[in-house]
């Protein structure tokens, strides 16, 4: 080999070494910080997290295989470099009250370039707490903790982990941008109260894909000021379906724009896809550009719902209409079975009727003995396309076929 060529190689070797080293994250194994199986690892995890946040190179916090007790964790940024939280084992929450009773179990705030992975489990151990949940009838009920609370996180990838049996919502993702949940499993019994899968609010560019969500409440719920939310190839059930709302109860609420639910399957859920807004409520906002497409409903109680008279437990009155404006709604290729005769419900606001609603190729059947498959419509004149079973909005005039 020519001496000149050898010299060039030697010149570039340090640069190549730096490139290789830059690709390998610094490992922060919690066992190096005193963590032991079946003992509280809160301090070890918090210390490892703080050191990782100060690292000038990418870092990986490792929770090895095994069962680990975690009383509570409040993990905050900012972080200097990307952080991966690799959960290989099972984390168990306290059965009873957390040390900070007003907090959630695991909270992660103000982080950029976060990854959560590892195939592990976040077990909220909520069975006993569910028995004490009386929030459906008691407005002063005890606040129960969420499994995972994400706030102000950006450019985040959460994948190949499970959250189960949360005492309250499984995941809260608030004021965050560019977050992706993939191969994300959520598991709780169908009768577990308020165990929503993923709740989103004031977010942008959120993706939930290739995931299984089984809960006692909404699989995914979408709050106000949410834009570009993509839910695709998700199996939901048991649960209450995928919901936009409820909206309208607070004057500070802002518009919801760009919701895409595609290639999803609903199994014996209470609802399929749903939009819900409060009547007699003060907020004026818009909900627009909603796309519900290529969806299978399997024994779903109420497959398609727009409900602008949402009033659970009769905690409101219907004297005044909803001031939320719903427009640009596209419902396409929905097929399967309905548990009850009323397969499609679109009850819009009488002062702000729904506009530019298109329904195409819907085939929903009901095989029970309570009568034929029906739809219910008010204050909406949808454009109807393709095969529609049952006939959509047959109870009113003004629907447009094409």
């Amino acid at each position: 080999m020519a001496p000149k060529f050898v010299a060039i190689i030697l010149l570039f070797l340090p640069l190549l070494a730096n490139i290789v080293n830059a690709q390998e994250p610094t490992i922060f194994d919690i066992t190096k910080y005193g963590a032991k199986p079946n003992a509280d690892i809160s301090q070890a995890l918090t210390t490892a997290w703080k050191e990782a946040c100060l690292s000038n190179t990418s870092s990986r916090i490792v929770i090895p295989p095994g069962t680990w007790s975690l009383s509570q964790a409040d993990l905050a940024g900012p972080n200097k470099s990307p952080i991966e939280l690799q959960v290989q084992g099972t984390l168990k929450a306290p059965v009873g009250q957390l040390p900070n009773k007003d907090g959630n179990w695991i909270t992660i705030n103000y982080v950029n370039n976060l990854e959560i992975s590892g195939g592990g489990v976040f077990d909220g151990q909520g069975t006993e707490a569910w028995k004490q949940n009386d929030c459906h009838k008691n407005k002063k009920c005890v606040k129960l903790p969420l499994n995972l609370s994400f706030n102000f996180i950006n450019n985040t990838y959460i994948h190949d982990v499970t959250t189960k049996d949360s005492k309250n919502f499984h995941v809260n993702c608030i004021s965050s941008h560019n977050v992706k949940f993939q191969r994300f499993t959520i598991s709780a019994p169908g009768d577990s109260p308020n165990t929503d899968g993923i709740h989103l609010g004031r977010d942008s560019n959120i993706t939930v894909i290739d995931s299984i969500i089984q809960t006692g409440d909404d699989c995914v719920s979408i709050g106000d000021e949410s834009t570009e939310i993509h839910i695709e190839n998700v199996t939901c059930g048991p649960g209450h379906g995928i919901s936009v709302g409820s909206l309208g109860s607070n004057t500070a609420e802002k518009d919801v724009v760009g919701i895409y639910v595609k290639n999803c399957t609903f199994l014996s859920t209470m609802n399929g896809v749903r939009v819900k807004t409060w009547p007699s409520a003060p907020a004026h906002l818009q909900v627009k550009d909603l796309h519900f497409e290529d969806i299978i409903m399997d024994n779903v109680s109420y497959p398609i719902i727009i409900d602008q008279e949402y009033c659970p437990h009769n905690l409101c009155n219907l004297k005044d209409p909803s001031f939320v404006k719903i427009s640009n709604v596209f419902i396409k290729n929905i097929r399967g079975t309905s548990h009850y005769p009323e397969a499609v419900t679109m009850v819009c606001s009488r002062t702000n009727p729904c506009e530019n609603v298109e329904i195409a190729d819907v085939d929903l059947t009901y095989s029970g003995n309570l009568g034929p498959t029906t739809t219910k419509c008010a204050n909406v004149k949808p454009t109807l396309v393709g095969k529609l079973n049952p006939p959509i909005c047959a109870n009113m005039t003004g629907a447009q076929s094409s």
Side-chain angles (χ1 to χ4, degrees):
M1 185 178 293
K4 186 176 181 180
F5 187 66
V6 171
I8 292 173
I9 293 175
L10 291 174
L11 180 66
F12 279 96
L13 276 178
L15 179 61
L16 292 171
N18 287 337
I19 292 173
V20 171
N21 290 334
Q23 293 174 345
E24 290 298 322
T26 302
I27 303 299
F28 296 84
D29 187 325
I30 61 166
T31 61
K32 307 301 183 186
Y33 295 84
K36 297 179 180 179
N38 297 308
D40 185 11
I41 66 167
S42 297
Q43 187 59 54
L45 176 59
T46 300
T47 302
W49 175 270
K50 288 179 179 178
E51 291 193 11
C53 283
L54 294 173
S55 174
N56 290 316
T57 59
S58 62
S59 57
R60 177 183 295 149
I61 301 168
V62 177
I63 301 176
T67 300
W68 308 88
S69 297
L70 177 67
S71 60
Q72 199 165 23
D74 193 345
L75 310 176
N79 53 310
K80 292 184 177 181
S81 301
I83 292 182
E84 179 183 3
L85 176 60
Q86 190 176 90
V87 181
Q88 300 173 3
T90 295
L91 295 176
K92 286 187 174 290
V95 173
Q97 196 173 78
L98 303 184
N100 175 9
K101 64 180 181 181
D102 295 322
N104 293 307
W105 180 34
I106 300 173
T107 301
I108 301 179
N109 295 339
Y110 299 104
V111 180
N112 188 33
N113 291 316
L114 169 69
E115 181 178 356
I116 299 177
S117 67
V121 178
F122 298 90
D123 186 353
Q125 299 203 99
T127 305
E128 290 302 314
W130 300 334
K131 298 174 184 177
Q132 304 166 25
N133 189 323
D134 61 350
C135 294
H136 63 287
K137 59 182 180 181
N138 178 14
K139 290 186 177 181
K140 297 181 180 180
C141 61
V142 175
K143 180 184 180 294
L144 296 171
L146 285 64
N147 264 11
L148 300 169
S149 179
F150 301 119
N151 306 277
F152 305 98
I153 64 170
N154 298 312
N155 306 312
T156 293
Y157 184 31
I158 301 168
H159 62 98
D160 299 294
V161 289
T162 295
T163 167
K164 64 172 292 191
D165 294 346
S166 180
K167 297 174 178 67
N168 201 328
F169 291 11
H170 281 84
V171 176
N172 212 0
C173 185
I174 304 297
S175 299
S176 299
H177 172 73
N178 194 26
V179 179
K180 183 177 184 178
F181 297 85
Q182 186 171 27
R183 297 183 298 278
F184 187 65
T185 300
I186 299 174
S187 176
D191 59 354
S192 57
N194 301 114
T195 54
D196 294 56
I198 301 174
H199 176 70
L200 307 173
R202 299 185 291 280
D203 294 322
S204 60
N205 295 321
I206 307 295
T207 299
V208 183
I209 188 171
D210 305 332
S211 297
I212 297 173
I213 304 177
Q214 301 169 319
T215 74
D217 213 298
D218 290 337
C219 290
V220 181
S221 58
I222 301 167
D224 81 295
E225 204 176 340
S226 296
T227 62
E228 292 301 315
I229 308 298
H230 296 260
I231 303 168
E232 188 168 350
N233 194 28
V234 169
T235 299
C236 167
H240 293 184
I242 295 175
S243 293
V244 180
S246 55
L247 297 169
S249 62
N250 190 317
T251 55
E253 291 181 11
K254 297 182 180 180
D255 296 350
V256 173
V257 181
I259 308 298
Y260 302 82
V261 181
K262 297 184 176 183
N263 297 306
C264 292
T265 299
F266 295 81
L267 303 175
S268 299
T269 52
M270 180 181 292
N271 309 291
V273 291
R274 176 169 61 158
V275 183
K276 49 184 179 178
T277 74
W278 291 90
S280 299
H284 291 70
L285 67 145
Q286 294 192 59
V287 178
K288 59 185 179 181
D289 299 336
L290 310 180
H291 302 258
F292 305 122
E293 301 178 10
D294 303 321
I295 293 172
I296 296 174
M297 305 286 184
D298 185 350
N299 192 36
V300 174
S301 295
Y302 303 101
I304 301 170
I305 303 176
I306 295 177
D307 183 6
Q308 295 205 256
E309 295 181 351
Y310 176 71
C311 189
H313 313 300
N314 296 315
L315 297 178
C316 56
N317 72 69
L318 300 176
K319 184 178 74 171
D320 295 319
S322 172
F323 295 117
V324 178
K325 178 70 175 183
I326 298 175
S327 63
N328 301 344
V329 181
F330 303 94
I331 301 170
K332 299 180 180 180
N333 193 25
I334 313 293
R335 59 200 185 278
T337 56
S338 175
H339 186 73
Y340 292 114
E342 194 172 287
V344 179
T345 300
M346 289 190 290
V347 177
C348 298
S349 169
R350 62 180 182 270
T351 57
N352 284 306
C354 297
E355 291 186 348
N356 192 25
V357 176
E358 180 179 305
I359 304 177
D361 300 313
V362 172
D363 187 7
L364 294 168
T365 60
Y366 165 69
S367 59
N369 57 8
L370 298 178
T373 313
T374 63
T375 65
K376 178 182 179 181
C377 301
N379 307 307
V380 59
K381 296 180 179 180
T383 298
L384 307 177
V385 180
K387 178 184 177 182
L388 297 170
N389 175 44
I392 305 296
C393 298
N395 65 311
M396 61 183 296
T397 59
Q400 305 171 36
S401 299
S402 63

